[in-house]
Amino acid sequence: RSWIDEELENCMVEWDEAKGMANKSDCTTDWQTYRKLRNHVTKITLMIFLSLARLANVSMTCQQQTLILHIQV
């Protein structure tokens, strides 16, 4: 996956570790951390997808564009 840069990969590793910790501890704070990291990785991924789609001149529906444009990293 050449589109995954070092920052995103580090976030994904951190997210995976947070999930393991949350499963192990079942602590509310750990689950909140996991969800925060999951949402952050999802937002970054969608922003990369949008950038790549624009570079490749891929057409998207207005609904898809609106969804992606409202995401703030």
Side-chain angles (χ1 to χ4, degrees), residues 8-72:
L8 179 57
E9 188 172 357
N10 290 338
C11 287
M12 292 171 81
V13 168
E14 192 176 349
W15 167 34
D16 191 48
E17 291 171 353
K19 184 177 182 181
M21 184 177 289
N23 278 324
K24 195 173 189 178
S25 71
D26 203 27
C27 175
T28 304
T29 306
D30 289 339
W31 281 109
Q32 289 172 343
T33 301
Y34 159 73
R35 283 191 291 274
K36 182 179 177 183
L37 289 167
R38 178 199 60 200
N39 293 343
H40 183 68
V41 168
T42 301
K43 288 175 185 180
I44 291 173
T45 304
L46 286 173
M47 294 301 290
I48 291 171
F49 171 76
L50 175 61
S51 297
L52 292 174
R54 284 183 178 161
L55 287 173
N57 203 20
V58 173
S59 61
M60 290 184 278
T61 66
C62 288
Q63 184 178 10
Q64 289 170 321
Q65 290 178 11
T66 302
L67 172 68
I68 293 172
L69 291 174
H70 282 89
I71 295 170
Q72 296 177 2

